[in-house]
Amino acid sequence: MSIATTNQPTPNNFTELGLIQPLLARLTEMKYQQPTPIQAQAIPSVLARRDLIAGANTGSGKTAAFALPLLQYLHKIKTTKHNNNDGNYVTGLVLVPTRELAKQVADSIKSYAVHFNGAIKTVAVFGGVSANTQMLALRGGTDILVATPGRLLDLISSNAIKLDNVKTLILDEADRMLSLGFTEELASLLALMPKQKQTLLFSATFPEQVKALTLDLLNDPVEIQLQSADSSTLVQRVFTVNKGQKTALLAHLIKQHKWQQSLIFVNAKNACNHLADKLSKRGITAEVFHGDKGQGARTRVLDAFKAGEIQVLIATDIAARGLDIEKLPVVINFDLPRSPADYMHRIGRSGRAGEVGLALSIIDHEDYHHFNVIEKKNKLRLEREQVAGFETIEFEKDVFSSTNKPVAKPEGSGKKKRKNKQQVNADIWLGNV
Ligand code: AMP
């Protein structure tokens, strides 16, 4: 496996990456001045038709890193070869875990392709909406298909599409695509594709056990692992609070900081509605986003949030993957995510593409141990902070043992800790100073 690292000299403009004029013109229009690190490293290898495994933070520009070279390749084969494809062919297949991501990735690809003047067709297919419109869109085949696995299998079984012409397969959010929930669907899909093809895996995180699964999928891949320093515009903070006080602290923070927008994560669908009700009683209007909502409602809420018409959105992890919401100032973990990898995905919704962002976790005593695990797995260590008016009863070091004995401290006995640079920055940004 060849390893590319950020230390290698990387081109700092798109022309040097070998991209063709219709793409360069579009990037100029979109005001992309230079490639992001993942783009600079991935694009030459993808253009050279190498397999790739790329670990890069969310918001790092992953979509363009695979979409630009894929479009260039498709343009080349369309103009140099006779098109002898069957009517229901697909050449570039992008598999994604959620419906929203399918739409978002397809929209980005269409936008990068505008100067091909319709010569390259991109279609998105996903569940929750009628399959008929998607079948119609697939008539005559498509150059790029962005799909969630379940709906794709349905469309294959009704002969709307065949995978035997796939030349490039991309797994976006690959760790999720290779995880348990999708294993069977992915195996069925892989069996329908040619063995000879380019395979690209992109994800923010690549846990070791997932990496092991990728060996069968990839042929002599280039590996790119960007350092987390690339997301240094994201400040992470953790506030401790007594049990039963989380909602009050959340409402206080929302009111105090008047964030233009905030995305709040909880762990269950009904918890979204429950928290929205509780916030509403405190004078805060919030919308909810979870898997029980119909697809139409999901799209409407997300579009309104993206357009800035909704200030507070409470969501389950369905919103944690890959969604690109411009200038989202704050992401809040009201419930901690179950897995350490999901923590990274959630917080990656803020601080995207160099914007300043804040990721807050609100934890009570029951969350302490789990937050320690999240930190350890993600190689983080955040100072536990308290908010005036919501001070917690101090717990002894052995708080993680079975006897959680609170140790009340006399008032005023706490030494004021010096703030680190990150917190000072966050305070300036939050208007606390
Ligand atoms: P992604 O990680 O693909 O979801 O991209 C995150 C955001 O960064 C999207 O809004 C992209 O439009 C934007 N973006 C991607 N590449 C660049 C670039 N080279 N320059 C500026 N913005 C970019």
Side-chain angles (χ1 to χ4, degrees), residues 14 30-36 39 57-64 104 112 322 324 326 352-353:
F14 284 107
M30 293 175 84
K31 302 199 169 41
Y32 285 17
Q33 284 164 0
Q34 61 185 65
T36 64
Q39 291 161 2
N57 287 305
T58 46
S60 60
K62 281 185 291 169
T63 314
Q104 181 181 295
Y112 294 131
D324 181 29
E326 229 179 290
R352 293 169 73 71

Side-chain angles (χ1 to χ4, degrees), residues 6-7 13 63 80-81 85 110 125 138 151 153 190 212 256 292 303 305 319 328 359 370 417:
T6 38
N7 301 330
N13 65 57
T63 314
T80 55
K81 284 186 193 164
N85 291 318
K110 286 178 195 165
V125 299
L138 287 172
R151 175 52 61 91
L153 281 167
L190 284 167
Q256 185 193 11
D292 269 359
D303 286 349
F305 192 57
L328 179 59
H370 188 45
K417 284 194 190 126

Side-chain angles (χ1 to χ4, degrees), residues 235 237-239 249 252-259 330 358 360 385-388 416 419-433:
V235 176
R237 299 179 76 174
V238 53
F239 292 148
L249 175 57
H252 168 80
L253 292 170
I254 293 173
K255 285 181 181 165
Q256 185 193 11
H257 296 298
K258 300 188 175 60
W259 290 303
V330 59
L358 176 68
L360 286 184
E385 298 177 65
Q386 304 206 2
V387 177
K416 220 177 168 197
K419 292 184 175 181
N420 62 27
K421 196 171 157 223
Q422 213 186 32
Q423 283 171 300
V424 173
N425 285 343
D427 279 345
I428 294 169
W429 182 76
L430 287 166
N432 283 352
V433 288

Side-chain angles (χ1 to χ4, degrees), residues 334-378:
F334 185 82
D335 291 337
L336 287 180
R338 292 192 182 94
S339 87
D342 281 339
Y343 176 83
M344 298 312 286
H345 286 291
R346 283 184 180 186
I347 69 170
R349 298 310 101 218
S350 184
R352 293 169 73 71
E355 298 282 345
V356 176
L358 176 68
L360 286 184
S361 298
I362 300 179
I363 62 171
D364 65 23
H365 299 131
E366 287 179 359
D367 300 317
Y368 278 16
H369 176 64
H370 188 45
F371 197 73
N372 278 2
V373 175
I374 289 174
E375 284 186 316
K376 200 164 159 221
K377 290 271 189 239
N378 290 317

Side-chain angles (χ1 to χ4, degrees), residues 1 49 93 95 127 211 234 260 272 275 322-323 344 355 368 376 418:
M1 203 181 264
R49 305 289 299 152
L93 176 63
L95 293 178
K211 238 175 164 180
L234 181 74
Q260 216 183 332
C272 288
L275 181 58
L323 294 187
M344 298 312 286
E355 298 282 345
Y368 278 16
K376 200 164 159 221
R418 283 243 314 274

